[in-house]
Amino acid sequence: MSLFISLHLIAAIIWVGGMFFAYVVLRPAAAALLPPPERLQLWSLCFDRFFLWVWGAIVTILATGYFMIFNNYGGFSDAPMFVNAMHGMALVMVLIFMHVFFAPYKRLKIAVQEGNWQAAAAKLAQIRILVAINTVIGLAIIVVVGIGKY
Ligand code: HEM
């Protein structure tokens, strides 16, 4: 049981903390230092690596989350409100991530390969907004769990 909550928390920290770092720390530093071609290539390479970890985090969070719901509460109907809220909010995050992965990220990569910096910048701007939304939802889940449980 403690193994499942530990894996759940590690995966959530990697995903939410990674987005926080990208948005709050790396984005302004890259914007201040790098001209568009280098900056857009940097983001494309960062996403190549980070999104692999996000897929792993999603699988881990869902597997451990569903296991704990059935193990701790015997199913969704007896799970407390904060768990249902965590589940629902996390599913929204997963859908947003999948949209980012299969739409603007794929197009960002193609635009970067073609050296089309204007198109790449437009896709990066979309990703930035969606990552900001997911960061806020991720942090909100932690607040909901903190208030709901403690
Ligand atoms: C990014 C998304 C998520 C974050 C940030 C997150 C965060 C957390 C945190 C901080 C806890 C620790 C609560 C404690 O102190 O014990 C927790 C526990 C838990 N989470 Fe999540 N979670 C996420 C997604 C999910 C999903 C998708 C599910 C269901 C499929 C889920 C189910 C659970 C369950 C069942 C517990 C244990 C609750 C208990 O018995 O106390 N979580 N989660």
Side-chain angles (χ1 to χ4, degrees):
M1 175 55 215
S2 50
L3 175 70
F4 287 91
I5 190 72
S6 301
L7 288 174
H8 192 78
L9 292 175
I10 288 170
I13 287 165
I14 287 173
W15 187 8
V16 180
M19 291 191 298
F20 185 90
F21 171 79
Y23 196 90
V24 175
V25 179
L26 185 56
R27 187 181 61 88
L33 199 64
L34 298 175
E38 283 75 14
R39 184 159 43 87
L40 291 158
Q41 289 176 85
L42 171 75
W43 281 115
S44 181
L45 290 175
C46 283
F47 293 146
D48 288 346
R49 287 168 178 76
F50 180 55
F51 287 172
L52 275 181
W53 285 95
V54 175
W55 281 115
I58 287 172
V59 170
T60 306
I61 286 169
L62 292 178
T64 53
Y66 289 126
F67 174 85
M68 289 188 290
I69 285 175
F70 286 95
N71 186 64
N72 300 3
Y73 305 108
F76 282 97
S77 47
D78 287 330
M81 186 69 170
F82 82 86
V83 169
N84 287 309
M86 171 163 43
H87 179 228
M89 291 163 82
L91 290 186
V92 173
M93 287 176 69
V94 172
L95 290 178
I96 290 174
F97 169 72
M98 287 170 79
H99 172 73
V100 166
F101 189 86
F102 290 110
Y105 163 63
K106 293 283 178 215
R107 293 183 192 125
L108 169 73
K109 274 171 72 90
I110 292 168
V112 165
Q113 276 159 14
E114 291 171 348
N116 184 347
W117 307 122
Q118 205 175 357
K123 294 301 145 196
L124 184 64
Q126 284 177 14
I127 295 173
R128 177 172 54 81
I129 294 166
L130 293 169
V131 167
I133 292 170
N134 257 3
T135 307
V136 170
I137 299 175
L139 295 175
I141 291 176
I142 293 167
V143 173
V144 165
V145 174
I147 293 171
K149 186 160 180 188
Y150 302 101

mmCIF file with all atom_site columns, all heavy atoms in Angstrom, residues 34-46:
data_model
loop_
_atom_site.group_PDB
_atom_site.id
_atom_site.type_symbol
_atom_site.label_atom_id
_atom_site.label_alt_id
_atom_site.label_comp_id
_atom_site.label_asym_id
_atom_site.label_entity_id
_atom_site.label_seq_id
_atom_site.pdbx_PDB_ins_code
_atom_site.Cartn_x
_atom_site.Cartn_y
_atom_site.Cartn_z
_atom_site.occupancy
_atom_site.B_iso_or_equiv
_atom_site.pdbx_formal_charge
_atom_site.auth_seq_id
_atom_site.auth_comp_id
_atom_site.auth_asym_id
_atom_site.auth_atom_id
_atom_site.pdbx_PDB_model_num
ATOM 1   N N   . LEU A 1 34 ? 17.764 33.479 -25.700 1.00 0.00 ? 34 LEU A N   1
ATOM 2   C CA  . LEU A 1 34 ? 17.948 32.813 -26.997 1.00 0.00 ? 34 LEU A CA  1
ATOM 3   C C   . LEU A 1 34 ? 17.100 33.441 -28.101 1.00 0.00 ? 34 LEU A C   1
ATOM 4   O O   . LEU A 1 34 ? 15.913 33.725 -27.880 1.00 0.00 ? 34 LEU A O   1
ATOM 5   C CB  . LEU A 1 34 ? 17.560 31.331 -26.864 1.00 0.00 ? 34 LEU A CB  1
ATOM 6   C CG  . LEU A 1 34 ? 18.395 30.510 -25.884 1.00 0.00 ? 34 LEU A CG  1
ATOM 7   C CD1 . LEU A 1 34 ? 17.827 29.103 -25.750 1.00 0.00 ? 34 LEU A CD1 1
ATOM 8   C CD2 . LEU A 1 34 ? 19.843 30.447 -26.333 1.00 0.00 ? 34 LEU A CD2 1
ATOM 9   N N   . PRO A 1 35 ? 17.644 33.617 -29.289 1.00 0.00 ? 35 PRO A N   1
ATOM 10  C CA  . PRO A 1 35 ? 16.840 34.044 -30.438 1.00 0.00 ? 35 PRO A CA  1
ATOM 11  C C   . PRO A 1 35 ? 15.894 32.906 -30.855 1.00 0.00 ? 35 PRO A C   1
ATOM 12  O O   . PRO A 1 35 ? 16.146 31.742 -30.511 1.00 0.00 ? 35 PRO A O   1
ATOM 13  C CB  . PRO A 1 35 ? 17.882 34.316 -31.524 1.00 0.00 ? 35 PRO A CB  1
ATOM 14  C CG  . PRO A 1 35 ? 19.114 33.607 -31.083 1.00 0.00 ? 35 PRO A CG  1
ATOM 15  C CD  . PRO A 1 35 ? 19.054 33.432 -29.602 1.00 0.00 ? 35 PRO A CD  1
ATOM 16  N N   . PRO A 1 36 ? 14.807 33.229 -31.583 1.00 0.00 ? 36 PRO A N   1
ATOM 17  C CA  . PRO A 1 36 ? 13.767 32.228 -31.864 1.00 0.00 ? 36 PRO A CA  1
ATOM 18  C C   . PRO A 1 36 ? 14.268 30.876 -32.379 1.00 0.00 ? 36 PRO A C   1
ATOM 19  O O   . PRO A 1 36 ? 13.828 29.840 -31.842 1.00 0.00 ? 36 PRO A O   1
ATOM 20  C CB  . PRO A 1 36 ? 12.855 32.933 -32.869 1.00 0.00 ? 36 PRO A CB  1
ATOM 21  C CG  . PRO A 1 36 ? 12.994 34.374 -32.509 1.00 0.00 ? 36 PRO A CG  1
ATOM 22  C CD  . PRO A 1 36 ? 14.421 34.562 -32.051 1.00 0.00 ? 36 PRO A CD  1
ATOM 23  N N   . PRO A 1 37 ? 15.168 30.784 -33.365 1.00 0.00 ? 37 PRO A N   1
ATOM 24  C CA  . PRO A 1 37 ? 15.527 29.447 -33.855 1.00 0.00 ? 37 PRO A CA  1
ATOM 25  C C   . PRO A 1 37 ? 16.082 28.544 -32.742 1.00 0.00 ? 37 PRO A C   1
ATOM 26  O O   . PRO A 1 37 ? 15.644 27.397 -32.595 1.00 0.00 ? 37 PRO A O   1
ATOM 27  C CB  . PRO A 1 37 ? 16.592 29.726 -34.929 1.00 0.00 ? 37 PRO A CB  1
ATOM 28  C CG  . PRO A 1 37 ? 16.316 31.119 -35.368 1.00 0.00 ? 37 PRO A CG  1
ATOM 29  C CD  . PRO A 1 37 ? 15.818 31.846 -34.165 1.00 0.00 ? 37 PRO A CD  1
ATOM 30  N N   . GLU A 1 38 ? 17.006 29.077 -31.962 1.00 0.00 ? 38 GLU A N   1
ATOM 31  C CA  . GLU A 1 38 ? 17.593 28.259 -30.885 1.00 0.00 ? 38 GLU A CA  1
ATOM 32  C C   . GLU A 1 38 ? 16.546 27.946 -29.808 1.00 0.00 ? 38 GLU A C   1
ATOM 33  O O   . GLU A 1 38 ? 16.490 26.857 -29.276 1.00 0.00 ? 38 GLU A O   1
ATOM 34  C CB  . GLU A 1 38 ? 18.786 28.977 -30.238 1.00 0.00 ? 38 GLU A CB  1
ATOM 35  C CG  . GLU A 1 38 ? 20.059 28.939 -31.061 1.00 0.00 ? 38 GLU A CG  1
ATOM 36  C CD  . GLU A 1 38 ? 20.026 29.889 -32.255 1.00 0.00 ? 38 GLU A CD  1
ATOM 37  O OE1 . GLU A 1 38 ? 19.130 30.764 -32.305 1.00 0.00 ? 38 GLU A OE1 1
ATOM 38  O OE2 . GLU A 1 38 ? 20.881 29.753 -33.139 1.00 0.00 ? 38 GLU A OE2 1
ATOM 39  N N   . ARG A 1 39 ? 15.733 28.957 -29.483 1.00 0.00 ? 39 ARG A N   1
ATOM 40  C CA  . ARG A 1 39 ? 14.738 28.764 -28.416 1.00 0.00 ? 39 ARG A CA  1
ATOM 41  C C   . ARG A 1 39 ? 13.725 27.685 -28.817 1.00 0.00 ? 39 ARG A C   1
ATOM 42  O O   . ARG A 1 39 ? 13.388 26.803 -28.011 1.00 0.00 ? 39 ARG A O   1
ATOM 43  C CB  . ARG A 1 39 ? 14.025 30.100 -28.159 1.00 0.00 ? 39 ARG A CB  1
ATOM 44  C CG  . ARG A 1 39 ? 13.032 30.065 -27.026 1.00 0.00 ? 39 ARG A CG  1
ATOM 45  C CD  . ARG A 1 39 ? 12.761 31.453 -26.495 1.00 0.00 ? 39 ARG A CD  1
ATOM 46  N NE  . ARG A 1 39 ? 12.603 32.441 -27.550 1.00 0.00 ? 39 ARG A NE  1
ATOM 47  C CZ  . ARG A 1 39 ? 11.448 32.704 -28.158 1.00 0.00 ? 39 ARG A CZ  1
ATOM 48  N NH1 . ARG A 1 39 ? 10.362 32.058 -27.811 1.00 0.00 ? 39 ARG A NH1 1
ATOM 49  N NH2 . ARG A 1 39 ? 11.382 33.624 -29.098 1.00 0.00 ? 39 ARG A NH2 1
ATOM 50  N N   . LEU A 1 40 ? 13.264 27.736 -30.058 1.00 0.00 ? 40 LEU A N   1
ATOM 51  C CA  . LEU A 1 40 ? 12.255 26.771 -30.494 1.00 0.00 ? 40 LEU A CA  1
ATOM 52  C C   . LEU A 1 40 ? 12.842 25.364 -30.599 1.00 0.00 ? 40 LEU A C   1
ATOM 53  O O   . LEU A 1 40 ? 12.181 24.381 -30.261 1.00 0.00 ? 40 LEU A O   1
ATOM 54  C CB  . LEU A 1 40 ? 11.660 27.225 -31.833 1.00 0.00 ? 40 LEU A CB  1
ATOM 55  C CG  . LEU A 1 40 ? 10.814 28.499 -31.663 1.00 0.00 ? 40 LEU A CG  1
ATOM 56  C CD1 . LEU A 1 40 ? 10.681 29.259 -32.979 1.00 0.00 ? 40 LEU A CD1 1
ATOM 57  C CD2 . LEU A 1 40 ? 9.438  28.151 -31.101 1.00 0.00 ? 40 LEU A CD2 1
ATOM 58  N N   . GLN A 1 41 ? 14.106 25.274 -31.014 1.00 0.00 ? 41 GLN A N   1
ATOM 59  C CA  . GLN A 1 41 ? 14.756 23.950 -31.040 1.00 0.00 ? 41 GLN A CA  1
ATOM 60  C C   . GLN A 1 41 ? 14.948 23.415 -29.621 1.00 0.00 ? 41 GLN A C   1
ATOM 61  O O   . GLN A 1 41 ? 14.789 22.223 -29.373 1.00 0.00 ? 41 GLN A O   1
ATOM 62  C CB  . GLN A 1 41 ? 16.105 24.047 -31.749 1.00 0.00 ? 41 GLN A CB  1
ATOM 63  C CG  . GLN A 1 41 ? 15.979 24.273 -33.245 1.00 0.00 ? 41 GLN A CG  1
ATOM 64  C CD  . GLN A 1 41 ? 17.340 24.473 -33.899 1.00 0.00 ? 41 GLN A CD  1
ATOM 65  O OE1 . GLN A 1 41 ? 18.024 23.521 -34.258 1.00 0.00 ? 41 GLN A OE1 1
ATOM 66  N NE2 . GLN A 1 41 ? 17.747 25.730 -34.046 1.00 0.00 ? 41 GLN A NE2 1
ATOM 67  N N   . LEU A 1 42 ? 15.294 24.321 -28.703 1.00 0.00 ? 42 LEU A N   1
ATOM 68  C CA  . LEU A 1 42 ? 15.454 23.906 -27.302 1.00 0.00 ? 42 LEU A CA  1
ATOM 69  C C   . LEU A 1 42 ? 14.152 23.311 -26.772 1.00 0.00 ? 42 LEU A C   1
ATOM 70  O O   . LEU A 1 42 ? 14.145 22.228 -26.175 1.00 0.00 ? 42 LEU A O   1
ATOM 71  C CB  . LEU A 1 42 ? 15.862 25.109 -26.437 1.00 0.00 ? 42 LEU A CB  1
ATOM 72  C CG  . LEU A 1 42 ? 15.850 24.851 -24.930 1.00 0.00 ? 42 LEU A CG  1
ATOM 73  C CD1 . LEU A 1 42 ? 17.051 24.021 -24.507 1.00 0.00 ? 42 LEU A CD1 1
ATOM 74  C CD2 . LEU A 1 42 ? 15.851 26.161 -24.140 1.00 0.00 ? 42 LEU A CD2 1
ATOM 75  N N   . TRP A 1 43 ? 13.024 24.015 -27.021 1.00 0.00 ? 43 TRP A N   1
ATOM 76  C CA  . TRP A 1 43 ? 11.741 23.514 -26.513 1.00 0.00 ? 43 TRP A CA  1
ATOM 77  C C   . TRP A 1 43 ? 11.371 22.185 -27.159 1.00 0.00 ? 43 TRP A C   1
ATOM 78  O O   . TRP A 1 43 ? 10.870 21.278 -26.488 1.00 0.00 ? 43 TRP A O   1
ATOM 79  C CB  . TRP A 1 43 ? 10.631 24.550 -26.736 1.00 0.00 ? 43 TRP A CB  1
ATOM 80  C CG  . TRP A 1 43 ? 10.669 25.647 -25.704 1.00 0.00 ? 43 TRP A CG  1
ATOM 81  C CD1 . TRP A 1 43 ? 10.925 26.963 -25.907 1.00 0.00 ? 43 TRP A CD1 1
ATOM 82  C CD2 . TRP A 1 43 ? 10.457 25.492 -24.288 1.00 0.00 ? 43 TRP A CD2 1
ATOM 83  N NE1 . TRP A 1 43 ? 10.892 27.644 -24.719 1.00 0.00 ? 43 TRP A NE1 1
ATOM 84  C CE2 . TRP A 1 43 ? 10.604 26.772 -23.713 1.00 0.00 ? 43 TRP A CE2 1
ATOM 85  C CE3 . TRP A 1 43 ? 10.166 24.411 -23.461 1.00 0.00 ? 43 TRP A CE3 1
ATOM 86  C CZ2 . TRP A 1 43 ? 10.465 26.993 -22.344 1.00 0.00 ? 43 TRP A CZ2 1
ATOM 87  C CZ3 . TRP A 1 43 ? 10.032 24.621 -22.093 1.00 0.00 ? 43 TRP A CZ3 1
ATOM 88  C CH2 . TRP A 1 43 ? 10.178 25.900 -21.552 1.00 0.00 ? 43 TRP A CH2 1
ATOM 89  N N   . SER A 1 44 ? 11.634 22.068 -28.457 1.00 0.00 ? 44 SER A N   1
ATOM 90  C CA  . SER A 1 44 ? 11.309 20.817 -29.140 1.00 0.00 ? 44 SER A CA  1
ATOM 91  C C   . SER A 1 44 ? 12.075 19.653 -28.503 1.00 0.00 ? 44 SER A C   1
ATOM 92  O O   . SER A 1 44 ? 11.506 18.590 -28.226 1.00 0.00 ? 44 SER A O   1
ATOM 93  C CB  . SER A 1 44 ? 11.647 20.969 -30.625 1.00 0.00 ? 44 SER A CB  1
ATOM 94  O OG  . SER A 1 44 ? 11.324 19.805 -31.317 1.00 0.00 ? 44 SER A OG  1
ATOM 95  N N   . LEU A 1 45 ? 13.362 19.858 -28.219 1.00 0.00 ? 45 LEU A N   1
ATOM 96  C CA  . LEU A 1 45 ? 14.166 18.801 -27.596 1.00 0.00 ? 45 LEU A CA  1
ATOM 97  C C   . LEU A 1 45 ? 13.740 18.544 -26.148 1.00 0.00 ? 45 LEU A C   1
ATOM 98  O O   . LEU A 1 45 ? 13.718 17.407 -25.690 1.00 0.00 ? 45 LEU A O   1
ATOM 99  C CB  . LEU A 1 45 ? 15.654 19.175 -27.639 1.00 0.00 ? 45 LEU A CB  1
ATOM 100 C CG  . LEU A 1 45 ? 16.299 19.138 -29.025 1.00 0.00 ? 45 LEU A CG  1
ATOM 101 C CD1 . LEU A 1 45 ? 17.738 19.652 -28.964 1.00 0.00 ? 45 LEU A CD1 1
ATOM 102 C CD2 . LEU A 1 45 ? 16.278 17.729 -29.597 1.00 0.00 ? 45 LEU A CD2 1
ATOM 103 N N   . CYS A 1 46 ? 13.407 19.626 -25.431 1.00 0.00 ? 46 CYS A N   1
ATOM 104 C CA  . CYS A 1 46 ? 12.924 19.464 -24.045 1.00 0.00 ? 46 CYS A CA  1
ATOM 105 C C   . CYS A 1 46 ? 11.640 18.627 -24.026 1.00 0.00 ? 46 CYS A C   1
ATOM 106 O O   . CYS A 1 46 ? 11.495 17.711 -23.217 1.00 0.00 ? 46 CYS A O   1
ATOM 107 C CB  . CYS A 1 46 ? 12.633 20.810 -23.400 1.00 0.00 ? 46 CYS A CB  1
ATOM 108 S SG  . CYS A 1 46 ? 14.101 21.698 -22.873 1.00 0.00 ? 46 CYS A SG  1
#
